Amino acid sequence: MPDILLRGGRVIDPARNVDAGADVLLQNGKVAAVEARLAPPSGTKVIEVENLWVVPGLIDMHTHLREPGQEYKESIETGTAAAAAGGFTAVCAMPNTVPPNDTRAVTELIVRRAREVGVVRVYPIGCITQGQKGESLAEMGDLQEAGCVAVSDDGKCVMNSEVMRRALEYARGLGLPVIQHAEDTSLSANGPAHEGAATTRIGLRGQPAAAESAMVARDLELVALTGARYHVAHASCAETVRLVREVKRRGLPVTAEVTPHHLMLTDEACVGYDTNTRVHPPLRSQEDVAAMRAALADGTIDAVATDHAPHSPVEKDVEFEQAAPGMIGLETALALCLELVAAGILSPAVLVTRMSAAPAKILGLPGGTLAPGTAADVTVIDPRAAWTCDPSRLRSRSRNTPFAGRAMRGRGVMTIVAGSIVFAEEGRVG
Ligand code: DOR
Ligand code: ZN
């Protein structure tokens, strides 16, 4: 792998307060220098990136890679290829695989497969409870030793308060963040959409926003009791934002993420019964979307995470109520978030913070900055590139996106991991 000089781009590295035109030199897999003008040492590959943004590699802290067990939906190979094409240099793999990642053996398998066929870095997340059953705790210490960076029963909520309390206590001792899929299932009752005007009109059973916020409220009581690091997965409603904002003021170790789809779509997207709009938590009201956007801008919501959830036609070409929840997101996340930049809701620096520096910080991962000496994980973005979302051209093995046909502006044009180009748009590198 030759050393690389990215010449003439706009370097946005909010972790170091940098937003300026600069050259970036990558040597031996590391960032060697970021300076206004750098002469390429001999043998260095020079890539002109004028009019492009050069940012620390994007990190998705919530990806379903489906391996082991459901490779007909996605695999570590296809999922990480999709990640690279979407501008991500690292993804965190949620544990609701088959079998679930609740033991060292499964974590080790994921780590090994990622090393063999992974296109970007893969950080496994282990289960909170054995089999995600919500009863007995998984061996978190083992999971951590094998490489898990957090624990979560994502896809399922840890409903039992005593189990959640013990999970938080145990995880606290290990310094592991606990990521909760906050859904009081006695309230949500597997309702396929949001409870509101749209679902009433079209006759779909709804689940109230309180199914999420009531669970977040309970968990925050347990965080106050235990002092553990707690992270809300795919926060989706105004009341969750209010709770997180309040608890952050009190200084509790709480963070939260939002998905691009909860920032861009409302429950109105479900009126055509497109099963690609079925997702958990469901697409919410206009007021909720406005609250999520404001909270992402002001930092109450720390990070954007895709919740990339591939499903095959077997799970999606069925009635709305029967369809598996979830949509793919790795290859559309950046463009959707750039819409918020174009609308003046996020600055470019805040966007990079939410998609790179913040996930790195929450999970204690390397990356999130272009500081010299750190690994050369870099995303090059063309903020003006116009394209249309065509599911047949995505790298993911699954096609379940509600954004098919949407006109997009902006995309990752080059993704570099440890100094190697793992994705480049055609014609970008000689
Ligand atoms: O929509 C969802 N799909 N939400 C989840 O929490 C899990 C995910 C999946 O694994 O398909
Ligand atoms: Zn979830």
Side-chain angles (χ1 to χ4, degrees):
M1 136 193 82
D3 293 341
I4 293 173
L5 181 70
L6 299 168
R7 190 153 71 186
R10 173 177 171 186
V11 176
I12 306 172
D13 184 5
R16 294 197 306 143
N17 239 327
V18 171
D19 185 348
D23 295 349
V24 177
L25 179 64
L26 311 177
Q27 282 180 324
N28 305 317
K30 295 212 153 74
V31 178
V34 180
E35 307 269 342
R37 203 155 292 141
L38 285 164
S42 69
T44 301
K45 181 188 194 77
V46 177
I47 302 174
E48 303 293 347
V49 291
E50 254 166 58
N51 300 317
L52 305 179
W53 298 353
V54 179
V55 311
L58 307 183
I59 300 171
D60 185 24
M61 62 184 296
H62 191 145
T63 306
H64 296 275
L65 290 176
R66 305 296 192 214
E67 185 174 348
Q70 294 181 314
E71 291 83 351
Y72 69 100
K73 299 186 187 198
E74 195 76 283
S75 65
I76 290 171
E77 188 170 6
T78 59
T80 56
F88 293 95
T89 56
V91 298
C92 298
M94 278 297 177
N96 61 339
T97 47
V98 184
N101 183 11
D102 62 356
T103 53
R104 173 193 290 274
V106 180
T107 306
E108 284 171 351
L109 176 123
I110 294 166
V111 169
R112 192 180 69 243
R113 287 295 291 158
R115 205 176 293 133
E116 288 166 2
V117 300
V119 181
V120 304
R121 298 179 199 273
V122 175
Y123 298 106
I125 292 172
C127 292
I128 297 173
T129 65
Q130 293 176 31
Q132 297 194 300
K133 290 201 174 79
E135 292 160 8
S136 328
L137 296 188
E139 263 308 334
M140 293 182 198
D142 272 8
L143 293 170
Q144 184 179 35
E145 256 179 45
C148 287
V149 296
V151 287
S152 178
D153 272 359
D154 184 56
K156 295 203 170 133
C157 179
V158 181
M159 282 291 290
N160 183 295
S161 305
E162 160 70 5
V163 171
M164 189 59 171
R165 179 208 176 152
R166 296 297 167 211
L168 289 165
E169 281 173 345
Y170 208 79
R172 185 191 169 190
L174 297 166
L176 273 179
V178 175
I179 303 175
Q180 172 77 300
H181 170 117
E183 175 188 350
D184 184 326
T185 52
S186 57
L187 260 182
S188 64
N190 208 28
H194 173 67
E195 184 177 302
T199 38
T200 309
R201 215 165 64 235
I202 66 171
L204 277 179
R205 218 157 39 81
Q207 55 170 285
E212 173 178 297
S213 55
M215 187 51 64
V216 171
R218 180 208 69 178
D219 286 347
L220 295 180
E221 293 294 323
L222 297 176
V223 173
L225 182 67
T226 60
R229 281 170 57 205
Y230 173 80
H231 178 83
V232 185
H234 42 55
S236 70
C237 67
E239 182 60 11
T240 294
V241 164
R242 195 189 65 73
L243 290 164
V244 171
R245 189 172 281 139
E246 199 262 331
V247 86
K248 279 186 163 184
R249 256 187 225 127
R250 285 161 52 200
L252 293 187
V254 171
T255 52
E257 69 189 32
V258 62
T259 69
H261 47 275
H262 289 110
L263 290 164
M264 304 311 293
L265 298 176
T266 68
D267 51 356
E268 292 290 334
C270 304
V271 299
Y273 303 99
D274 175 4
T275 57
N276 292 322
T277 64
R278 179 166 187 199
V279 64
H280 285 178
L283 301 173
R284 301 284 189 194
S285 69
Q286 191 62 62
E287 296 72 46
D288 290 316
V289 169
M292 299 322 298
R293 290 175 167 204
L296 186 66
D298 74 18
T300 302
I301 301 291
D302 303 79
V304 172
T306 68
D307 195 5
H308 177 84
H311 290 294
S312 81
V314 175
E315 292 89 20
K316 283 296 193 182
D317 290 353
V318 295
E319 277 176 56
F320 200 92
E321 290 246 2
Q322 263 66 59
M327 58 179 76
I328 55 172
L330 286 168
E331 293 169 85
T332 48
L334 176 57
L336 293 170
C337 291
L338 284 167
E339 289 188 28
L340 298 179
V341 174
I345 293 165
L346 304 179
S347 67
V350 168
L351 172 84
V352 174
T353 301
R354 303 288 180 262
M355 297 187 80
S356 179
K361 184 161 172 228
I362 292 166
L363 297 175
L365 308 176
T369 177
L370 294 173
T374 60
D377 291 5
V378 186
T379 301
V380 181
I381 297 169
D382 181 346
R384 280 164 287 267
W387 59 289
T388 303
C389 176
D390 173 359
S392 72
R393 298 189 55 190
L394 299 175
R395 260 64 165 190
S396 172
R397 185 162 286 153
S398 288
R399 303 273 171 258
N400 54 306
T401 173
F403 296 107
R406 188 181 180 101
M408 306 281 204
R409 190 171 276 278
R411 57 177 296 129
V413 293
M414 191 179 301
T415 308
I416 300 172
V417 176
S420 293
I421 298 170
V422 297
F423 168 81
E425 201 180 65
E426 251 171 81
R428 283 288 169 188
V429 249

